[in-house]
Amino acid sequence: LTNIFKKSFCKTAVILMYHRVDTVSNDERLLVVTPSVFESHLIFLKERYEVIALPQLVSRLQNKQ
């Protein structure tokens, strides 16, 4: 699956959005991610992909890098 994802998005950017990172015991809408799960997501992404800040992405798009 990782290889398919890399091939599909080779020249594109994927922007992830989290609704909320918090330690909430009752999340009726299932929109909260705990800090430890969020950290594990970031570690996973950093190990497999180039993670950059939004301003850096904008700069690259403007310079067509």
Side-chain angles (χ1 to χ4, degrees):
L1 185 60
T2 302
N3 288 336
I4 294 170
F5 186 81
K6 282 184 179 181
K7 288 178 184 176
S8 298
F9 295 102
C10 183
K11 293 286 185 176
T12 61
V14 176
I15 299 173
L16 298 179
M17 182 185 84
Y18 287 80
H19 287 276
R20 191 168 171 197
V21 179
D22 200 354
T23 53
V24 176
S25 59
N26 186 14
D27 177 23
E28 295 175 5
R29 295 185 184 172
L30 302 175
L31 297 176
V32 174
V33 175
T34 65
S36 62
V37 170
F38 181 68
E39 181 181 22
S40 69
H41 290 180
L42 294 181
I43 291 169
F44 174 87
L45 292 168
K46 277 186 75 174
E47 289 174 348
R48 289 163 180 81
Y49 305 98
E50 180 183 10
V51 178
I52 62 173
L54 187 57
Q56 188 177 357
L57 173 61
V58 171
S59 175
R60 286 185 183 188
L61 291 172
Q62 288 172 340
N63 297 322
K64 298 185 182 185
Q65 294 180 345

